[in-house]
Amino acid sequence: MTLSLPPLDQATPWLDDPAHRAWALADARRQLAFFDASLRPDGGFDVLDLAGAPLPRAGQELHTTTRMVHSYVLGRAIGHPGAEDLIDAGMRFLRDHHRDTTHGGYLWAVDETGVTDPLKLAYGHVFVLLAAASALQAGHPEARALMDDVAEVLDQRFWDDAAGLYRDEFTRDWQSFSTYRGMNANMHSVEAMLAAFEVTGEASWLDKAGRVLDFFTARMAPAHDWRLPEHYTEDWQVDPDYAGNPMFRPAGTTPGHSLELGRLLLQHWDLAGRPAGDAPDRARRMIERALADAWLPDGGLAYTLRPGGAVDIADRYWWPVTEGIGAMASLIKLGEGRAGDEAWYRRLWAFADSHHIDHARGGWFPELDAAGRPVARQFDGKPDIYHALQADLFPLVPGLSRQVAQAGTLAG
């Protein structure tokens, strides 16, 4: 199955085009069918190679478990058979393996034999909140307890109320070993808190998400020509020389995160009742800057930029493309009628279709070489369904919010 690309000046926007909508929904179903093979007999999740066979196990990371729960809640909403089995498995694995019964909180990586990485990371904990919120939307019997538990941990251990932001990392027994502060965990905290607000109606989640967004989108982005600094010191000053884990904390700025945070800013604005102010303009500025900086001559988005916007790491990964699709869908849903939004939406899908989507087996190739062929330098196999599944489904649900709640409207 391949995407049939209509001319860019076609009168019908793709979000309203039944053929495009059916195609995206079909890709979502093929992704879910591919990742079904992740589920192990013991209830854990394997990472899969490009053909869908399990890779050697090296500890199941917290973001893998939680993203699988969230993704299969979306799968359940569109009627994917067996989705409940993967949701149940993920919830049990969180409870029985990741949950630290000695010190509280959730361990970053575990396997059948025990703990393989004991760190307590805000990045992982906010994904526990996302999994809990999604599972609660699906009516899972353990979801409310999980949400209450992780909410307490986030509030007591990670939340810096003076700054209105989340601290990043602790040892297993909650000792501070690092002064690092980062944008990535805070960005995903917004995603999780908005999901928690949508399912519970508890305004504290919306308020905290707004504080995080204000720091990055009303203070940092305008001060840096609408690029988002990733790395900060303990007192939340930009640390332009920081370079850490190349997957989670690369040097410079990450334009894919500007796309992601722009979409989340619009979602927050929508959930808050679309108040007067410049939130839509801020979102557009971040999104358009990221696309202008990072789109490469042969297509695809560069992974990182230097602080002034020049390309640093030109490697092309799948997730910035998926976030670009979600960002452009959000701008189109604003109803401003800008032709450039439609053109970008189609351009991103065209690149995904021709380079990232594995039409033969399902799932998306995560990484491309300079010639546009799948390669494994940073990522092994197909490590993740979460980004690409949301790219398929978010454009199809009405409005800017309530993705999990509204995905069920697509099942027919």
Side-chain angles (χ1 to χ4, degrees), residues 6-15 284 288 291 328-329 331-348:
L8 290 180
D9 61 354
Q10 179 179 319
T12 303
W14 272 14
L15 292 189
R284 179 174 287 280
E288 290 183 347
L291 292 172
M328 297 318 301
L331 291 178
I332 291 168
K333 290 177 185 183
L334 289 178
E336 297 175 344
R338 300 195 187 188
D341 296 345
E342 179 73 16
W344 267 113
Y345 181 75
R346 299 184 187 195
R347 186 176 297 122
L348 288 157

Side-chain angles (χ1 to χ4, degrees), residues 243-254:
N245 181 295
M247 184 182 301
F248 295 108
R249 298 179 184 175
T253 68
T254 308

Side-chain angles (χ1 to χ4, degrees), residues 223-239:
H224 294 85
D225 202 15
W226 298 101
R227 302 179 183 98
L228 283 172
E230 290 274 334
H231 310 297
Y232 297 82
T233 63
E234 187 174 16
D235 59 353
W236 291 101
Q237 300 300 306
V238 175
D239 186 354

Side-chain angles (χ1 to χ4, degrees), residues 183 215-230 232 238 252-255 257-259 261 282 285-294 304-311:
M183 194 276 288
F215 178 81
F216 290 108
T217 73
R219 290 176 57 187
M220 290 296 107
H224 294 85
D225 202 15
W226 298 101
R227 302 179 183 98
L228 283 172
E230 290 274 334
Y232 297 82
V238 175
T253 68
T254 308
H257 287 160
S258 292
L259 300 171
L261 201 62
R282 279 182 275 141
R285 285 175 178 266
M286 289 191 300
I287 291 166
E288 290 183 347
R289 167 60 73 188
L291 292 172
D293 283 343
T304 67
L305 309 172
R306 299 185 182 96
V311 171

Side-chain angles (χ1 to χ4, degrees), residues 259 291 295 300-301 320-328 343-353 356 364:
L259 300 171
L291 292 172
W295 189 256
L301 291 160
V321 175
T322 70
E323 293 304 330
I325 288 167
M328 297 318 301
W344 267 113
Y345 181 75
R346 299 184 187 195
R347 186 176 297 122
L348 288 157
W349 265 124
F351 187 81
D353 174 63
H356 284 296
W364 291 36

Side-chain angles (χ1 to χ4, degrees), residues 1 107 148 302 352:
M1 179 189 297
L107 300 158
D148 290 344

Side-chain angles (χ1 to χ4, degrees), residues 81-277:
E84 292 86 352
D85 294 338
L86 281 93
I87 298 168
D88 288 342
M91 294 292 284
R92 284 194 303 270
F93 207 87
L94 285 169
R95 182 194 66 204
D96 296 340
H97 297 278
H98 286 292
R99 182 69 169 88
D100 186 348
T101 57
T102 302
H103 301 288
Y106 294 81
L107 300 158
W108 177 246
V110 295
D111 64 14
E112 309 93 307
T113 65
V115 179
T116 61
D117 188 336
L119 290 184
K120 304 285 176 65
L121 304 178
Y123 182 87
H125 282 72
V126 298
F127 275 112
V128 176
L129 179 61
L130 179 64
S134 298
L136 187 60
Q137 179 69 55
H140 195 279
E142 297 183 23
R144 184 75 241 194
L146 178 64
M147 177 178 284
D148 290 344
D149 183 62
V150 74
E152 182 178 11
V153 175
L154 285 167
D155 187 58
Q156 293 186 359
R157 299 294 188 176
F158 291 101
W159 180 248
D160 179 352
D161 193 59
L165 297 160
Y166 284 98
R167 305 177 185 93
D168 270 78
E169 54 194 1
F170 296 90
T171 64
R172 180 174 183 175
D173 61 352
W174 300 108
Q175 301 303 305
S176 179
F177 70 94
S178 161
T179 60
Y180 176 81
R181 304 288 184 265
M183 194 276 288
N184 195 8
N186 278 278
M187 177 189 70
H188 283 293
S189 81
V190 172
E191 175 188 28
M193 288 190 288
L194 294 182
F197 171 73
E198 291 186 59
V199 72
T200 67
E202 295 169 6
S204 60
W205 293 121
L206 192 66
D207 294 342
K208 280 185 176 178
R211 293 185 69 186
V212 174
L213 285 165
D214 281 347
F215 178 81
F216 290 108
T217 73
R219 290 176 57 187
M220 290 296 107
H224 294 85
D225 202 15
W226 298 101
R227 302 179 183 98
L228 283 172
E230 290 274 334
H231 310 297
Y232 297 82
T233 63
E234 187 174 16
D235 59 353
W236 291 101
Q237 300 300 306
V238 175
D239 186 354
D241 298 321
Y242 180 90
N245 181 295
M247 184 182 301
F248 295 108
R249 298 179 184 175
T253 68
T254 308
H257 287 160
S258 292
L259 300 171
E260 198 166 355
L261 201 62
R263 172 177 61 82
L264 292 169
L265 176 58
L266 290 172
Q267 183 182 357
H268 179 271
W269 170 75
D270 185 53
L271 288 169
R274 302 196 170 199

